[in-house]
Amino acid sequence: MKYNKPRGSLDFFDKNIEIYNFILKKFKIFAKLYNFKEIKTPSFEEKDIFIRSIGKSSDIVEKEMFYLFSKNRNKEYKLSLKPEGTASVIRAIIENKLLERSNFLLKLFYIDSMYRYERPQKGRLRQFHQFGVEYLSKKNYYIDAECIILAINFLKFLGIKNFKLHINSLGDLVSRQKYIKILKLILQSKTLCNDCKIRMNLNILRVLDCKKEKINDIPKIIDYINDEEKKYFKNILKILKLNKIDYVIDNKLVRGLDYYTSIVFEIYYNDSNWSKNTLVAGGRYDNLVANLEGKQCDAFGFAGGIERLMLVLKDAKNITNQLDVFIISLSKEAYNVSFTLSLLLRKNNIKTDLNKDFSKTLKQQFKLCDKYNSKYIVIIGDKEIVNKSVILKDNIKKNEKNISIDLISNFIKGELKNDKKI
Ligand code: HAM
């Protein structure tokens, strides 16, 4: 019988597990640099949390939730796998009274698996991983700007260049309602796709970001939001400009999750071959904590898709785990010396491996060094054993020298430290 991985999921091995771990490690460093503390929530939650927060009419709740059946099949399922992180984090914050304990100032980050029953395609999976932050504090445009800049700087730090920040404001509830009335009138006279006909009644703003519709001649939401919100939006744009962050004001950006209020943003990867190209997305959600029956607290956050970053970084060099030292042995006696040296190098935190197969020629042993992408090659033969030395080849600087076997460990340690400084 042949088993395959479930549709829309991935196996991680070889280069892709290294790229995955690289993104994970760097995001942790980055989030801590901005003073975010880590939180981990369960893989499943009560489904109502998502229905109440993301919204009944959202694609996620309507079509994409993975529900879990309890043992007793007659009981209605109450749980669902997590389709996103925000609602789950907010549930944990409320349940554990984290806001009260932190005097209503919380900066949290997470890295987690999410599950959505989608039609799998490039960059769109049923199990995927998100990195994200949630910043809970009194509304302040420096918070929005800090989170957006964190996301942008993280992508730059990974070496990703080809992206664009799209930003919009949904304004406050009153002005949004005003805008929705006008929008309804205008859209009634248009022929819409089947999905948008449903959205007209459930969440009309979502018609704006429908990929099938080309709706151009409609008023911009920005012209309907009140002065305070306009000023708030302008202040964020000013901070972005001041810090040399390019952006596009995108009047059609409304986001597919209902909890957003005010500012929303998405960061797209510019690749025409790839339609599901939002790398990071988020915004302000000032009512969610109260909606989930916590104390009122404003919030801003974002999440990014790790598999999407993996697609972008798949050809990046220097991500894959490099071996520090590979040891080549030229005689039977040398194998013993090499083996003992490998243990000593590992004891000194130097990533080391060695050839153990007597039948391998020198050329074949060099091939192994290439396979492991080793920074240094140590060569030991009978002559070296007599002289108590080794040949050390530096694969990066492309030089070679003889060095006493007693000094080799400290020498490589020093060289690796210098590499890290650069
Ligand atoms: P989202 O836009 O649903 O927002 O997802 C955020 C990111 O997760 C997307 O930009 C994309 O990179 C990745 N992503 C989403 N769906 C998939 C999928 N099926 N396959 C692969 N990657 C995917 C949220 O989830 C919000 N919770 C973001 C947020 C946090 N807003 C405030 N705080």
Side-chain angles (χ1 to χ4, degrees):
M1 196 175 177
K2 199 171 137 204
Y3 295 107
N4 293 312
K5 59 183 179 308
R7 210 161 110 78
S9 67
L10 289 180
D11 292 318
F12 290 73
F13 55 90
D14 280 353
K15 201 173 171 187
N16 71 351
I17 187 80
E18 286 186 20
I19 298 178
Y20 173 82
N21 283 330
F22 174 80
I23 296 168
L24 218 84
K25 189 170 137 199
K26 298 294 179 196
F27 186 68
K28 280 192 179 184
I29 294 172
F30 231 82
K32 286 179 186 170
L33 213 60
Y34 283 71
N35 197 27
F36 285 84
K37 305 271 182 289
E38 190 163 7
I39 184 163
K40 194 139 185 73
T41 56
S43 295
F44 51 90
E45 293 276 358
E46 282 193 37
K47 70 175 197 304
D48 287 350
I49 290 174
F50 302 113
I51 298 173
R52 264 174 97 159
S53 52
I54 304 169
K56 254 189 199 147
S57 62
S58 64
D59 282 351
I60 295 178
V61 169
E62 270 211 328
K63 308 176 197 157
E64 297 168 2
M65 298 259 276
F66 275 98
Y67 294 121
L68 298 176
F69 284 99
S70 62
K71 250 184 172 178
N72 179 353
R73 281 287 192 117
N74 298 325
K75 271 192 191 162
E76 195 209 351
Y77 44 77
K78 274 192 160 173
L79 300 172
S80 113
L81 291 178
K82 210 158 52 178
E84 60 107 43
T86 310
S88 189
V89 168
I90 299 302
R91 192 269 312 139
I93 288 174
I94 298 168
E95 184 175 345
N96 297 293
K97 299 201 172 7
L98 299 187
L99 278 171
E100 291 81 345
R101 281 164 53 181
S102 66
N103 211 5
F104 289 79
L105 171 57
L106 257 185
K107 296 175 82 171
L108 298 174
F109 80 90
Y110 53 89
I111 296 166
D112 228 328
S113 298
M114 308 294 166
Y115 307 86
R116 295 184 193 176
Y117 191 80
E118 309 216 46
R119 267 194 34 221
Q121 49 194 290
K122 192 175 176 185
R124 178 147 288 195
L125 294 156
R126 289 184 177 169
Q127 182 189 346
F128 59 99
H129 297 81
Q130 280 186 341
F131 57 91
V133 305
E134 310 298 349
Y135 193 147
L136 290 99
S137 181
K138 194 167 173 285
K139 188 172 175 182
N140 175 324
Y141 45 80
Y142 282 107
I143 291 178
D144 308 41
E146 185 176 275
C147 291
I148 296 170
I149 292 173
L150 190 169
I152 299 270
N153 283 349
F154 177 57
L155 296 181
K156 285 185 184 164
F157 181 68
L158 293 178
I160 301 172
K161 292 188 186 99
N162 216 2
F163 60 79
K164 193 116 233 142
L165 164 66
H166 285 223
I167 188 164
N168 194 19
S169 172
L170 305 176
D172 69 316
L173 196 62
V174 177
S175 35
R176 204 152 54 242
Q177 297 300 359
K178 222 163 55 188
Y179 177 72
I180 283 172
K181 262 191 195 157
I182 310 269
L183 194 61
K184 210 170 225 162
L185 277 176
I186 295 171
L187 291 179
Q188 265 161 2
S189 61
K190 298 200 180 286
T191 342
L192 300 172
C193 73
N194 286 340
D195 280 346
C196 284
K197 279 180 194 152
I198 300 169
R199 285 179 187 139
M200 274 285 281
N201 297 318
L202 294 175
N203 185 349
I204 192 167
L205 286 180
R206 297 274 340 271
V207 177
L208 294 183
D209 75 353
C210 173
K211 306 287 179 274
K212 292 180 211 151
E213 304 286 355
K214 285 262 174 292
I215 309 166
N216 292 320
D217 49 343
I218 44 168
K220 295 172 184 166
I221 193 164
I222 195 82
D223 296 330
Y224 287 79
I225 68 178
N226 67 24
D227 288 347
E228 203 182 314
E229 281 290 330
K230 258 187 205 153
K231 212 165 136 195
Y232 191 86
F233 189 32
K234 271 192 187 147
N235 278 327
I236 293 174
L237 300 181
K238 210 161 119 188
I239 299 172
L240 293 177
K241 219 178 205 165
L242 217 75
N243 290 283
K244 300 188 172 51
I245 305 285
D246 292 336
Y247 59 81
V248 173
I249 299 173
D250 184 344
N251 299 300
K252 286 185 183 168
L253 179 65
V254 291
R255 306 277 297 128
L257 302 92
D258 280 3
Y259 50 64
Y260 292 108
T261 51
S262 186
I263 305 301
V264 286
F265 78 98
E266 295 196 348
I267 302 174
Y268 298 96
Y269 185 57
N270 297 334
D271 184 345
S272 54
N273 297 320
W274 185 22
S275 63
K276 305 298 163 210
N277 56 358
T278 314
L279 300 179
V280 177
R284 179 154 282 288
Y285 53 98
D286 293 337
N287 302 328
L288 184 57
V289 187
N291 280 351
L292 291 179
E293 295 176 22
K295 298 219 170 104
Q296 169 57 38
C297 187
D298 305 332
F300 191 95
F302 70 74
I306 296 189
E307 285 80 357
R308 291 195 186 172
L309 296 190
M310 286 167 69
L311 278 173
V312 176
L313 292 172
K314 71 180 190 318
D315 298 321
K317 298 217 164 46
N318 299 330
I319 290 181
T320 42
N321 204 1
Q322 248 191 328
L323 191 67
D324 294 327
V325 176
F326 189 84
I327 311 175
I328 288 178
S329 308
L330 300 179
S331 72
K332 259 209 168 137
E333 191 50 42
Y335 276 88
N336 280 331
V337 180
S338 300
F339 191 80
T340 307
L341 179 63
S342 73
L343 299 180
L344 175 76
L345 294 176
R346 289 165 183 155
K347 208 168 155 189
N348 282 292
N349 280 328
I350 298 168
K351 282 182 275 174
T352 307
D353 207 351
L354 71 162
N355 172 46
K356 300 173 194 82
D357 180 353
F358 296 151
S359 70
K360 289 226 181 310
T361 61
L362 181 64
K363 198 171 161 194
Q364 286 168 326
Q365 294 194 60
F366 271 117
K367 268 202 175 144
L368 272 178
C369 299
D370 287 345
K371 177 179 160 184
Y372 295 131
N373 195 15
S374 186
K375 286 180 201 157
Y376 295 97
I377 304 171
V378 166
I379 303 168
I380 305 178
D382 287 338
K383 198 170 129 203
E384 283 70 36
I385 294 174
V386 172
N387 296 337
K388 292 195 172 19
S389 67
V390 301
I391 301 169
L392 178 69
K393 268 171 112 54
D394 184 328
N395 256 348
I396 296 163
K397 291 185 192 141
K398 301 280 172 221
N399 59 32
E400 139 175 359
K401 64 173 98 179
N402 270 75
I403 184 161
S404 157
I405 196 154
D406 296 334
L407 299 178
I408 184 80
S409 180
N410 275 344
F411 180 80
I412 293 177
K413 234 163 100 178
E415 290 289 295
L416 291 173
K417 235 186 220 160
N418 284 340
D419 280 357
K420 269 189 195 136
K421 270 189 216 151
I422 299 160

